[in-house]
Amino acid sequence: MVALSSLQVVQFRPPQDLSLHKWRPRSFIKCRIAEPTGEPAPLGQKTKYMDGFFEKAFMTLFARKMEKFAAPAKNGSASKEKGWFDYDYESFVDVSKRVMQGRNRKQQQEVVREVLLSMLPPGAPEQFKKLFPPTKWAAEFNAALTVPFFQWLVGPSEVVEVEVNGEKQKSGVHIKKCRYLENSGCVGMCVNMCKIPTQDFFTNEFGLPLTMIPNFEDMSCEMVYGQVPPPFEEDPVVKQPCLADICTLASPNSSFCPKLEA
């Protein structure tokens, strides 16, 4: 997900017109939901999606990269490498779960970082920093890119106005119901395999601060470009208990998700 936004550094020049509200990505990358309402399913129900070429290609790309770090599948045998259209979202999530096995929180996050770096062309972070210094415009531009290019992973989202350092700007992204959290049901996967690595990647590798604020009650999430994330120890997610009703890895007796331990 980060990779696509990052590749814009190489492929595109910032538009001369700095009004981002007129810029819209092409409709072919629009996330397709199979629900009759066209919106994510109500809480407690899993949203149905119609994944096309774009979605399956990225599921496969990320899953193949992550397979190198994943524990063997349940049957314990070495499985034949899947083709480009053999991966679906469930198998992608399964790879993520197997990456977590035998690794602590920091090791899981480091795997995601290595996967993201491996998908970028040489020198991409440096080019990103030159083209997108930490300004209001850069934050708003990346928020606009996030909506189409994140959708295969997290589902539909929209750009929203937020306040960063006392200034209102359209650099926020509201994810209506995160597909990754919905399918994994795991607080640890949300935090260790998505939230923290993505925050760190933008903030440290690209030099553009990003804070992600998941809501475990309704499975929505807020992304705020331009806002420096808090230290992990001060982040509210550290006190988040398991979603015991839906997580297969849950520890119901623990006051917080054990996957968040160092």
Side-chain angles (χ1 to χ4, degrees):
M1 55 189 179
V2 178
L4 247 182
S5 297
S6 308
L7 289 176
Q8 308 307 311
V9 177
V10 180
Q11 298 173 349
F12 296 101
R13 294 283 184 181
Q16 295 300 314
D17 181 5
L18 297 184
S19 177
L20 297 178
H21 315 305
K22 298 179 180 179
W23 182 85
R24 294 289 185 274
R26 295 181 179 179
S27 60
F28 78 92
I29 53 180
K30 182 177 177 61
C31 186
R32 291 171 293 179
I33 289 182
E35 299 293 332
T37 62
E39 295 292 325
L43 195 64
Q45 300 178 30
K46 187 174 291 187
T47 306
K48 297 177 181 178
Y49 288 86
M50 295 184 294
D51 294 314
F53 175 83
F54 178 86
E55 292 85 2
K56 285 184 175 289
F58 270 82
M59 289 173 198
T60 300
L61 184 61
F62 272 82
R64 280 185 165 183
K65 293 282 186 179
M66 294 172 66
E67 275 287 6
K68 299 177 182 178
F69 302 93
K74 291 182 179 180
N75 57 20
S77 60
S79 58
K80 182 180 179 181
E81 186 177 81
K82 294 183 178 181
W84 272 96
F85 292 97
D86 292 336
Y87 280 97
D88 57 16
Y89 201 84
E90 289 186 359
S91 58
F92 164 73
V93 171
D94 176 69
V95 174
S96 298
K97 290 181 178 179
R98 289 190 283 116
V99 167
M100 296 177 71
Q101 294 178 24
R103 290 186 173 88
N104 61 31
R105 169 174 58 84
K106 293 183 178 179
Q107 291 170 335
Q108 294 166 27
Q109 295 166 13
E110 182 59 27
V111 167
V112 179
R113 176 181 176 275
E114 290 187 33
V115 169
L116 294 175
L117 283 174
S118 72
M119 299 179 70
L120 300 179
E126 290 72 22
Q127 293 184 49
F128 188 100
K129 290 177 182 178
K130 292 179 181 178
L131 290 176
F132 301 108
T135 62
K136 175 183 177 181
W137 178 87
E140 291 187 335
F141 186 73
N142 277 272
L145 286 178
T146 294
V147 171
F149 292 124
F150 259 125
Q151 289 198 37
W152 74 270
L153 177 61
V154 299
S157 61
E158 59 185 350
V159 173
V160 295
E161 185 176 72
V162 293
E163 186 172 307
V164 179
N165 298 324
E167 182 178 6
K168 290 185 178 180
Q169 56 191 51
K170 289 196 172 183
S171 66
V173 176
H174 174 70
I175 299 169
K176 298 180 180 180
K177 187 183 183 186
C178 179
R179 189 179 186 183
Y180 194 63
L181 178 58
E182 182 180 28
N183 279 263
S184 69
C186 180
V187 171
M189 284 184 64
C190 167
V191 175
N192 297 340
M193 303 292 288
C194 182
K195 170 182 160 64
I196 299 299
T198 304
Q199 286 182 169
D200 288 350
F201 205 79
F202 272 95
T203 303
N204 300 324
E205 301 295 336
F206 288 163
L208 179 63
L210 169 66
T211 296
M212 297 181 69
I213 310 169
N215 183 329
F216 294 101
E217 293 185 1
D218 64 5
M219 295 191 176
S220 66
C221 185
E222 303 291 333
M223 302 178 67
V224 184
Y225 286 94
Q227 180 173 303
V228 177
F232 181 80
E233 294 73 18
E234 299 176 14
D235 197 307
V237 298
V238 302
K239 299 180 181 179
Q240 177 63 38
C242 291
L243 302 177
D245 293 337
I246 58 176
C247 182
T248 59
L249 306 175
S251 297
N253 297 326
S254 177
S255 60
F256 62 92
C257 176
K259 296 294 182 181
L260 301 181
E261 292 182 306

